[in-house]
Amino acid sequence: MTHLFINLILSVVFFNIVTTETVCKKQAGVYRTFKDYSLNNFSDSICLDIKTNRIMLGSNQKLIIKSENKKKIFKAGEVYGFFDGNTFYRYFDSKKRKEPFGYFNVIDTSGIILYLQKSFTSTKYSSWTSVSYFYSKTLTDTIKSLNNNNLLTDFNKIEFINENKSNIKKLENVSSEKAIAILQEINSLYRKHFR
């Protein structure tokens, strides 16, 4: 009877451990390469159902994964991108400091790849967040500022550029929700002219 009772307790404990570890409703993780991303294969991941687990950007574009008693840090450029449970971010470094670099929030992939990037600025007296918009032809191509000159260089179709001039201008001072709608409109025009 004692062996049966101990086996029953061990079975319940084992079952709880297995079910606790295998059931995760919301995951976040890191994609070391584009191939990992395209196969949706995290090289490192955490379960966001556990409140102490999180994935975030630290200073100098370091990617930090915190889980229970562990902390893993990836240097800038060490990974292709990451998923924070809601949003995918891709890393890009142009090697030229005047051009965009860092992690970019992927907004729309239904035509050209459209991104936004937030930057935080602070002075002795105030601090603020600014948002800039970018694009690339593919998820592995160079990321460029979303402006009429760059679009004209890459797509050389004046109708597409003219129809997007007002959209590009509107992005200067809008909320995030309105910006996403404008970016989706840009891709709608892209599909109209190039597919």
Side-chain angles (χ1 to χ4, degrees):
M1 187 70 149
T2 309
H3 285 320
L4 182 62
F5 182 69
I6 291 172
N7 284 338
L8 179 63
I9 289 175
L10 289 175
S11 295
V12 169
V13 169
F14 178 74
F15 178 76
N16 283 335
I17 290 170
V18 169
T19 56
T20 303
E21 288 182 12
T22 56
V23 176
C24 181
K25 294 179 184 169
K26 192 169 187 180
Q27 272 195 315
V30 170
Y31 301 104
R32 284 214 185 253
T33 65
F34 173 70
K35 183 177 180 181
D36 290 339
Y37 168 73
S38 63
L39 296 173
N40 196 25
N41 183 25
F42 289 132
S43 29
D44 287 285
S45 65
I46 54 171
C47 180
L48 296 177
D49 297 343
I50 301 168
K51 292 183 181 184
T52 56
N53 289 356
R54 59 190 168 140
I55 187 167
M56 62 191 174
L57 284 175
S59 61
N60 298 320
Q61 297 289 307
K62 289 180 185 169
L63 181 60
I64 303 165
I65 297 179
K66 287 187 177 182
S67 63
E68 299 181 74
N69 299 325
K70 297 176 187 174
K71 181 177 179 182
K72 192 163 191 177
I73 299 174
F74 299 91
K75 295 176 188 172
E78 197 173 341
V79 299
Y80 169 77
F82 71 96
F83 179 68
D84 69 2
N86 297 311
T87 306
F88 171 65
Y89 294 83
R90 175 192 164 196
Y91 184 83
F92 176 75
D93 191 350
S94 69
K95 308 296 181 206
K96 298 175 186 173
R97 289 296 140 213
K98 291 183 180 181
E99 293 183 16
F101 69 95
Y103 284 95
F104 294 81
N105 179 340
V106 178
I107 299 296
D108 192 342
T109 60
S110 66
I112 55 177
I113 313 302
L114 296 169
Y115 310 86
L116 71 77
Q117 186 181 55
K118 292 181 181 179
S119 52
F120 304 96
T121 307
S122 71
T123 65
K124 186 176 180 181
Y125 303 103
S126 65
S127 61
W128 63 94
T129 302
S130 60
V131 179
S132 301
Y133 301 94
F134 302 89
Y135 77 96
S136 65
K137 291 180 180 180
T138 67
L139 279 164
T140 56
D141 203 11
T142 301
I143 293 178
K144 299 179 180 178
S145 293
L146 183 60
N147 61 49
N148 293 318
N149 289 337
N150 284 343
L151 289 174
L152 184 59
T153 300
D154 282 340
F155 300 105
N156 200 14
K157 191 164 194 176
I158 200 68
E159 298 86 3
F160 173 63
I161 306 308
N162 286 339
E163 289 180 33
N164 269 313
K165 279 185 181 176
S166 65
N167 286 327
I168 304 278
K169 183 76 175 152
K170 287 180 203 172
L171 286 171
E172 291 174 10
N173 294 309
V174 295
S175 67
S176 295
E177 296 81 25
K178 289 183 180 176
I180 289 170
I182 293 167
L183 293 171
Q184 289 170 340
E185 174 61 22
I186 290 170
N187 260 344
S188 176
L189 291 169
Y190 175 84
R191 291 189 305 274
K192 171 184 162 187
H193 287 284
F194 295 100
R195 288 194 179 163

